[in-house]
Amino acid sequence: MTMSMNTIFNLIENKASNWIHQEKLKSQSAIGSLVKYIEKENKLREPQQQAIEVYLWLKFVSNNQKLSDIIRAGLLYDEESAREYDNFHTFGNNYTTQFLNQFFQDNNVKNLHKKLVNDPNGEKIKWDEVLEQLLHNYNYPNYLFSLPMGAGKTYLMACFIYLDLYFANLYKKDKRFAHNFIVLAPSASKTAILPSLQTIKNFDPQWILPKNEADKLKRIIQIEILDALSSQRKDKLQGNNPNLEKVNRISQTKNFGMVFITNAEKVVLERYDDISKTAKRMRQYMLQEEEKIKSNELREKLSQVNYLGVILDEVHHTYGKNEEQEEKKLRKAVEVLNQHKNVISVLGLSGTPYIRHKVKIGDDEIKLNQIQDIVYNYYLNQGIGKFLKIPDIKRANIKESLFIHKALDDFFDNFDIDYKNGTKSKVAFYCPSIKILNEKILPVVQDWYKKNRKSKESEIFKFYTNGSKENKQYEIPKDSLAIFNNLDKPYSDKRVILLVAIGKEGWDCKSLTAVVLPRQKTTKNFVLQTSCRCLREVENASKEKALVYLEKDNYETLDNELKENYNLRISDLKFGSQPVIPVKVRKPKLGKLQYRQVKTKYQIVIKKTSDNQLDKFDFKNIQEKYRYDERIIRGRIGRAGIASEIEEKGIKADNFDYSFNDFVYDLAKETMGRFSESDLLEKYKKELGETYKKIQSQFNWIRLNPNLEIREIIKYAASFLMEEIDLKKEIITDNMEIELLEWDIKNPSMALYHASGALAKFMPRITKNNARVYERHPEDLEEDFFGKNTIDPQDISFNYTPYKMDSSFEQNALEEMLKMKELSNLEVYFNGYKDKQLQSFWIQTPKGVYTPDFLILKKDKKKKIEKVLIAETKGKIYYGDEFKQKEHFVKNEFISQNKNFKYTSFVDEAGKNDFVGFLNKLREEIKSL
């Protein structure tokens, strides 16, 4: 089965990305400010930051709904994309069937697709129920974030916790945000996972929240690890369950900011789950009776915690074929925790969400190789060279003893590294059993050491869980667990690590630099997971390498798994593997551009005023500022247009549900923390009442006014409670001189595709059909577009090729400019190559850096740049408040200091990407140069 390109996570990521972009353009957006703060701090990795943006979209746009409800509401619907599918018109505005139409076609589910087309109204099959089944039918919001090993999943959990607490503190009764958390690891037997989760404690919330907010939450939050073993005492006296004691002690004094980290076994009834199927049947009655007498106090206590957020680590364990398997404990634990409906949402994290499963729909069966409720997905190869070491994957088809010798030779010859943090590189051998480790693999390793590293045998370390009687003779020392947990410390002298059934998940050992699978063909997921264990970066992934040494069958397994799960091949696992196209500088001697960079320095001067000036609140000022025509005009159509206009009586608005308490709450928010609701009521209750009456008397006017929101009135009221501020302004200029094509980078190139997989927009126009050709043969661009039938007959542009553009509007604007005779003696420079190593023209504004789209350059007789017209093209949705503020600065402050510059912008209000209508305006601007 081929994997769907139009996955839920692709749809969500696109929606979230566009929404975040819009929020960042709004000067008053709390979300925009938060994201810009995170970007400015630059502490998070790319996948962590992108996952947070998806999380914010899920919370604020989709309102923390189940994925099925998000689809039903049309929040993921994209008509342009939907039109590309057969039978689009059959389903109209039914977003469930539109989604299933795409899903069935993407996944080649022909029989069900035929039934869907023949039954679009769901008379025979309830398509809403089909959607629920595809999304695993959970009765709570369930979101899975898929990030590869090394991306920082544990710290991402901490981000989710702190962000939920931050918003819960702002919106105290909002069911979208959790007040308390339980973080669940899948199984106590996976000993590496729980210790790694404890690093949540080390997370610094200042990475994502301003210092005052971060400090406030750090004082509130209490993180507890529930890892104590249960007592075996039968009398269940007080004190026998240390985990329950911890929860009781904390919850007596707190109901906000509790974070419990534990294994699923601590929540699910252990004695019920650990007995065999046969024993279950035999003891069913007895267990039911026992349940009536005594329930598991810990799970009961945890399920009573209000506003509960659940985070599942290695969540792929909860999806599978067999309902009875041990891995189901995680999902059963969630059901237990939600028995009182206190769970706000379940956030799952996994690096390998590629569980094959079947969905039964009537007589039909859909076979899927990927979990369907993934909301964010970051592919493995995207992280290579960013936060994952660059792997050297080798295959050998030789006798096992020689295979082990060769792997050790390669490791100590080419990967024997002393890292700057004091740790030494290590190699892990994953062995099939304790018996084989001790009888076949360990002796070969020891033999190699005698020949190559004599007297250093203490570097060899074996680790596994002491198991059955047959392995009693191979029991490991009691301090082995401590040694294993400290392998990544500078003082560890272990270099060769021999493992059985451990270390494939959650093992955070950055100095692990090589992985060897000496055995022949093993399970698929095991190969994929173990091969990735050595990829975590130590300091700088782009300069670090790793070795994966595989027997032939395992090499093929890894290759197949990468192809099925990531659409990759082993050959793709190299840094910079994304398809790129080289950039050629065609006309290097463009000339130097001289200008003044303008900085505006402000000094804040505070005028002390009394807090209480609410008596100055005058609604006439608001009516003056937000004036509108309240009349209703009635007209008739005459020969020359509309005639005989008559004024009718004004209409009355619907009831405006805005109470005094709403007013006080909103006012407190607008004072930016200076006053709480109780502060306001304590100090100014009378004045607040009078102000509210003034607003209340104008409810009809407010409700009908198309130019006004209640928030603007509250802001105006809040201004009478704040200190007055004056700004003293000072202009500072720096002289700049840049060569527009003075590129320091040796081999400039640009990615052909966006991270979403969509082909970028280029000039000359590159299509999916010829993209691969130009990737391999970039010289063909020159031949195809700049020969006899050149796209630039006047030779006024394409100083470099190709141009990578942001929109079709930009592409069309350039195409129209190339035809203009008025530009024949000028130069049109596209300023869009965004790379810190390249010189491009930019202007510093108080709202951040502004990089124009086009520069139209006029030169003097000596070929020096004499005058510059900055030409900006903008789609309507991108022409927001923040850009307008940048534009205002350029038009006024920058141009006033740079008399040889002019500025003009073309805003595509109609959204048609058509530049023809702007040509006359451009001609006028060119004439004035």
Side-chain angles (χ1 to χ4, degrees):
M1 188 209 85
T2 55
M3 282 183 60
S4 161
M5 286 301 292
N6 203 14
T7 57
I8 286 175
F9 59 79
N10 274 336
L11 295 170
I12 290 178
E13 284 172 49
N14 288 335
K15 296 285 185 183
S17 177
N18 290 334
W19 175 68
I20 290 289
H21 179 78
Q22 291 302 309
E23 291 302 306
K24 284 162 66 177
L25 294 176
K26 297 175 186 173
S27 56
Q28 298 297 319
S29 166
I31 299 298
S33 299
L34 181 70
V35 173
K36 284 191 277 191
Y37 173 83
I38 292 171
E39 289 173 347
K40 181 186 166 195
E41 289 299 298
N42 197 28
K43 299 289 189 184
L44 299 181
R45 290 180 173 142
E46 180 180 61
Q48 292 170 319
Q49 190 169 315
Q50 290 174 354
I52 286 172
E53 290 178 2
V54 166
Y55 155 90
L56 292 170
W57 185 89
L58 289 166
K59 292 287 184 179
F60 286 91
V61 178
S62 73
N63 290 316
N64 199 55
Q65 295 181 86
K66 288 171 57 178
L67 282 176
S68 53
D69 292 331
I70 292 172
I71 291 168
R72 271 191 280 273
L75 291 171
L76 298 186
Y77 181 67
D78 181 86
E79 186 169 317
E80 190 176 336
S81 172
R83 283 179 179 276
E84 294 176 8
Y85 288 81
D86 294 341
N87 310 108
F88 157 73
H89 294 288
T90 305
F91 305 106
N93 290 328
N94 186 320
Y95 300 120
T96 297
T97 50
Q98 285 283 12
F99 174 83
L100 291 174
N101 182 50
Q102 297 173 35
F103 181 88
F104 291 153
Q105 289 182 60
D106 281 338
N107 292 284
N108 201 27
V109 186
K110 292 178 181 176
N111 195 32
L112 268 171
H113 183 246
K114 187 177 178 182
K115 290 180 180 179
L116 177 70
V117 174
N118 292 326
D119 183 26
N121 297 319
E123 291 167 9
K124 296 176 183 175
I125 299 174
K126 293 180 179 176
W127 297 113
D128 271 333
E129 290 181 11
V130 172
L131 179 65
E132 292 289 353
Q133 285 175 271
L134 281 175
L135 295 173
H136 311 287
N137 214 16
Y138 299 127
N139 56 7
Y140 43 79
N142 189 81
Y143 307 133
L144 194 158
F145 292 80
S146 170
L147 294 85
M149 179 275 306
K153 290 194 287 290
T154 308
Y155 270 12
L156 181 59
M157 291 180 198
C159 291
F160 290 152
I161 290 169
Y162 276 104
L163 286 171
D164 251 33
L165 292 177
Y166 169 67
F167 290 118
N169 217 14
L170 290 178
Y171 314 113
K172 291 189 169 53
K173 292 187 178 179
D174 196 321
K175 283 283 187 181
R176 292 176 297 178
F177 308 108
H179 296 192
N180 304 287
F181 287 86
I182 293 177
V183 183
L184 288 173
S187 167
S189 64
K190 296 171 175 61
T191 56
I193 297 173
L194 201 58
S196 73
L197 288 182
Q198 296 189 35
T199 59
I200 288 176
K201 285 185 171 183
N202 304 332
F203 180 74
D204 183 355
Q206 277 191 63
W207 288 11
I208 56 169
L209 294 168
K211 186 178 187 309
N212 58 330
E213 299 294 342
D215 288 346
K216 190 191 300 180
L217 290 178
K218 274 201 307 198
R219 287 194 294 271
I220 293 171
I221 199 167
Q222 186 162 349
I223 300 170
E224 286 292 340
I225 317 295
L226 306 180
D227 58 355
L229 297 172
S230 297
S231 168
Q232 298 302 310
R233 289 173 60 180
K234 302 292 182 187
D235 55 358
K236 298 285 183 187
L237 292 173
Q238 186 178 6
N240 74 316
N241 190 334
N243 298 315
L244 178 61
E245 264 190 25
K246 271 186 188 177
V247 176
N248 278 333
R249 186 179 69 250
I250 297 163
S251 58
Q252 280 172 7
T253 56
K254 289 179 78 74
N255 63 359
F256 188 92
M258 298 186 290
V259 180
F260 300 113
I261 301 172
T262 189
N263 293 114
E265 285 92 334
K266 297 292 186 291
V267 178
V268 180
L269 277 173
E270 287 136 302
R271 70 170 72 185
Y272 182 82
D273 283 289
D274 289 345
I275 56 179
S276 69
K277 271 176 89 173
T278 307
K280 280 184 185 178
R281 284 195 292 269
M282 290 173 61
R283 297 184 57 195
Q284 189 70 41
Y285 175 77
M286 188 172 71
L287 282 166
Q288 287 171 349
E289 289 303 304
E290 186 178 342
E291 275 285 273
K292 289 176 187 176
I293 300 166
K294 186 162 188 56
S295 66
N296 181 323
E297 296 105 319
L298 177 63
R299 74 172 189 167
E300 182 61 34
K301 185 68 182 177
L302 291 173
S303 69
Q304 289 172 1
V305 175
N306 284 324
Y307 291 90
L308 187 61
V310 179
I311 297 178
L312 305 179
D313 192 25
E314 304 294 353
V315 72
H316 53 273
H317 286 296
T318 71
Y319 301 83
K321 301 172 189 171
N322 183 357
E323 291 297 322
E324 297 297 333
Q325 64 190 348
E326 177 270 336
E327 282 85 348
K328 286 292 169 182
K329 283 183 180 176
L330 262 178
R331 195 59 67 179
K332 188 177 285 186
V334 177
E335 292 168 10
V336 167
L337 292 170
N338 198 34
Q339 61 184 318
H340 301 302
K341 306 300 178 193
N342 284 329
V343 170
I344 298 296
S345 63
V346 177
L347 305 178
L349 289 97
S350 173
T352 51
Y354 303 99
I355 303 297
R356 287 172 181 76
H357 60 289
K358 298 173 185 176
V359 179
K360 287 278 290 179
I361 298 171
D363 297 330
D364 296 286
E365 189 174 75
I366 303 175
K367 293 179 181 177
L368 298 166
N369 69 344
Q370 179 174 284
I371 297 165
Q372 293 305 304
D373 46 11
I374 301 170
V375 296
Y376 175 75
N377 189 50
Y378 191 90
Y379 290 105
L380 175 72
N381 69 323
Q382 289 176 270
I384 290 173
K386 292 180 182 175
F387 54 82
L388 297 177
K389 300 185 188 95
I390 302 162
D392 190 358
I393 301 175
K394 298 193 177 181
R395 176 185 67 189
N397 189 25
I398 52 179
K399 188 178 176 184
E400 187 173 82
S401 59
L402 188 56
F403 176 92
I404 294 168
H405 275 245
K406 285 288 183 186
L408 289 168
D409 286 341
D410 201 340
F411 173 72
F412 281 103
D413 287 347
N414 302 306
F415 296 84
D416 187 4
I417 302 164
D418 287 339
Y419 291 110
K420 285 182 183 176
N421 64 6
T423 59
K424 290 181 181 293
S425 59
K426 295 163 186 65
V427 56
F429 284 74
Y430 286 89
C431 310
S433 70
I434 294 172
K435 186 177 173 67
I436 290 174
L437 183 157
N438 285 279
E439 295 181 7
K440 291 189 175 180
I441 296 173
L442 179 59
V444 178
V445 173
Q446 289 170 331
D447 178 59
W448 185 90
Y449 258 80
K450 283 175 189 172
K451 295 172 184 173
N452 297 279
R453 288 177 77 81
K454 204 164 185 177
S455 305
K456 293 188 176 180
E457 284 83 355
S458 62
E459 292 177 348
I460 304 167
F461 172 68
K462 58 181 185 177
F463 185 63
Y464 40 80
T465 303
N466 288 328
S468 58
K469 289 179 183 177
E470 64 184 82
N471 294 319
K472 192 164 181 65
Q473 58 183 311
Y474 302 125
E475 283 193 358
I476 54 176
K478 288 183 179 178
D479 64 348
S480 296
L481 177 59
I483 294 170
F484 177 76
N485 286 337
N486 289 288
L487 285 172
D488 211 23
K489 297 288 195 296
Y491 54 74
S492 175
D493 65 344
K494 306 303 179 190
R495 303 298 303 282
V496 178
I497 320 300
L498 307 178
L499 301 169
V500 177
I502 206 148
K504 71 177 181 136
E505 293 176 344
W507 183 25
D508 184 8
C509 184
K510 296 179 177 64
S511 57
L512 182 66
T513 308
V515 161
V516 181
L517 289 186
R519 56 173 156 169
Q520 292 188 347
K521 193 168 184 177
T522 184
T523 56
K524 293 179 177 181
N525 213 29
F526 185 88
V527 177
L528 184 59
Q529 288 182 322
T530 53
S531 299
C532 296
R533 280 301 107 194
C534 59
L535 300 186
R536 290 180 188 268
E537 76 174 345
V538 182
E539 284 140 359
N540 183 350
S542 65
K543 296 178 181 177
E544 293 170 4
K545 56 183 184 173
L547 172 67
V548 179
Y549 217 85
L550 302 172
E551 181 273 335
K552 173 179 159 288
D553 286 337
N554 284 328
Y555 183 93
E556 289 173 4
T557 297
L558 177 62
D559 206 24
N560 290 333
E561 283 298 286
L562 288 168
K563 188 173 186 299
E564 281 187 31
N565 297 336
Y566 296 109
N567 201 21
L568 302 172
R569 304 306 297 257
I570 284 178
S571 57
D572 293 322
L573 292 185
K574 55 183 186 290
F575 187 38
S577 62
Q578 186 184 12
V580 296
I581 186 166
V583 177
K584 179 185 177 184
V585 177
R586 296 183 69 242
K587 297 189 285 181
K589 298 199 181 291
L590 192 56
K592 291 193 178 343
L593 186 62
Q594 296 176 335
Y595 64 103
R596 285 180 172 178
Q597 200 70 271
V598 182
K599 295 176 187 172
T600 309
K601 186 179 176 183
Y602 293 98
Q603 186 177 353
I604 296 173
V605 180
I606 298 175
K607 293 180 180 178
K608 289 288 181 184
T609 61
S610 65
D611 286 343
N612 180 14
Q613 297 193 56
L614 279 170
D615 58 327
K616 293 182 180 178
F617 179 92
D618 187 349
F619 207 89
K620 287 179 183 175
N621 291 334
I622 293 170
Q623 288 173 316
E624 189 65 34
K625 185 176 179 181
Y626 296 98
R627 187 189 298 272
Y628 75 106
D629 193 344
E630 295 178 68
R631 301 174 304 161
I632 294 177
I633 305 295
R634 184 177 167 204
R636 289 185 308 163
I637 297 175
R639 287 184 181 179
I642 295 177
S644 65
E645 291 185 344
I646 302 170
E647 181 180 338
E648 287 195 346
K649 290 181 180 178
I651 56 172
K652 193 158 181 69
D654 298 333
N655 289 334
F656 194 15
D657 184 18
Y658 191 71
S659 67
F660 177 70
N661 288 338
D662 293 333
F663 168 64
V664 176
Y665 173 76
D666 288 344
L667 190 64
K669 274 207 304 187
E670 289 300 334
T671 64
M672 307 299 181
R674 191 175 185 208
F675 296 103
S676 67
E677 293 168 70
S678 55
D679 290 338
L680 290 172
L681 289 168
E682 188 179 323
K683 292 182 178 181
Y684 313 121
K685 189 169 184 179
K686 181 185 173 187
E687 292 88 344
L688 290 171
E690 290 168 358
T691 306
Y692 176 72
K693 281 179 186 174
K694 292 176 186 176
I695 296 171
Q696 192 180 32
S697 69
Q698 298 295 330
F699 272 176
N700 196 65
W701 185 86
I702 297 166
R703 193 79 167 119
L704 295 173
N705 193 322
N707 309 315
L708 176 67
E709 296 292 336
I710 190 71
R711 187 179 176 191
E712 299 304 321
I713 300 170
I714 305 306
K715 277 185 182 177
Y716 174 61
S719 69
F720 296 107
L721 295 167
M722 308 298 276
E723 294 169 324
E724 287 185 40
I725 291 175
D726 271 356
L727 296 176
K728 186 180 175 185
K729 180 175 171 184
E730 182 184 353
I731 300 291
I732 302 166
T733 60
D734 289 334
N735 290 327
M736 303 277 288
E737 183 179 78
I738 63 169
E739 172 67 63
L740 288 171
L741 289 169
E742 198 173 88
W743 292 356
D744 296 329
I745 189 168
K746 285 184 180 177
N747 300 304
S749 64
M750 53 181 68
L752 276 166
Y753 296 90
H754 296 301
S756 64
L759 181 69
K761 298 181 190 302
F762 291 96
M763 283 289 285
R765 290 183 185 263
I766 295 175
T767 66
K768 285 185 178 179
N769 292 333
N770 61 25
R772 188 57 62 89
V773 176
Y774 295 136
E775 177 194 351
R776 293 173 182 163
H777 304 286
E779 65 277 5
D780 287 1
L781 262 179
E782 187 78 18
E783 196 173 311
D784 291 351
F785 293 99
F786 299 98
K788 290 179 183 177
N789 301 316
T790 181
I791 61 171
D792 186 13
Q794 301 182 101
D795 196 28
I796 58 173
S797 188
F798 295 103
N799 313 94
Y800 61 90
T801 57
Y803 288 161
K804 189 173 184 178
M805 310 189 99
D806 291 333
S807 67
S808 298
F809 189 45
E810 272 185 10
Q811 287 177 313
N812 295 335
L814 181 58
E815 280 182 342
E816 295 301 329
M817 288 182 205
L818 296 177
K819 301 172 191 174
M820 293 176 68
K821 63 182 181 183
E822 291 87 354
L823 288 167
S824 58
N825 296 315
L826 304 174
E827 186 81 49
V828 178
Y829 178 75
F830 179 63
N831 197 42
Y833 197 147
K834 299 175 181 68
D835 192 306
K836 290 177 183 175
Q837 293 174 284
L838 309 177
Q839 288 282 15
S840 60
F841 174 67
W842 55 276
I843 298 171
Q844 183 65 52
T845 81
K847 283 290 176 182
V849 169
Y850 163 58
T851 306
D853 292 332
F854 298 97
L855 304 178
I856 297 174
L857 308 172
K858 183 178 181 182
K859 296 183 179 179
D860 61 18
K861 292 178 181 178
K862 295 181 181 178
K863 300 293 181 184
K864 286 187 177 180
I865 296 171
E866 181 183 21
K867 290 191 176 179
V868 180
L869 172 62
I870 299 169
E872 180 67 39
T873 54
K874 269 280 180 281
K876 184 181 178 182
I877 62 168
Y878 300 111
Y879 194 61
D881 289 343
E882 188 166 316
F883 178 79
K884 287 176 183 175
Q885 289 174 49
K886 288 182 179 180
E887 183 179 59
H888 183 268
F889 178 86
V890 172
K891 282 180 174 178
N892 294 279
E893 306 290 352
F894 180 81
I895 298 294
S896 70
Q897 299 293 325
N898 293 275
K899 301 295 185 184
N900 57 331
F901 279 75
K902 289 194 70 182
Y903 174 88
T904 187
S905 64
F906 307 97
V907 182
D908 183 22
E909 296 280 354
K912 294 182 179 178
N913 295 324
D914 187 2
F915 193 75
V916 174
F918 297 106
L919 291 176
N920 286 334
K921 179 184 175 184
L922 181 57
R923 287 189 183 100
E924 293 300 316
E925 297 287 1
I926 292 166
K927 278 182 193 175
S928 66
L929 264 184

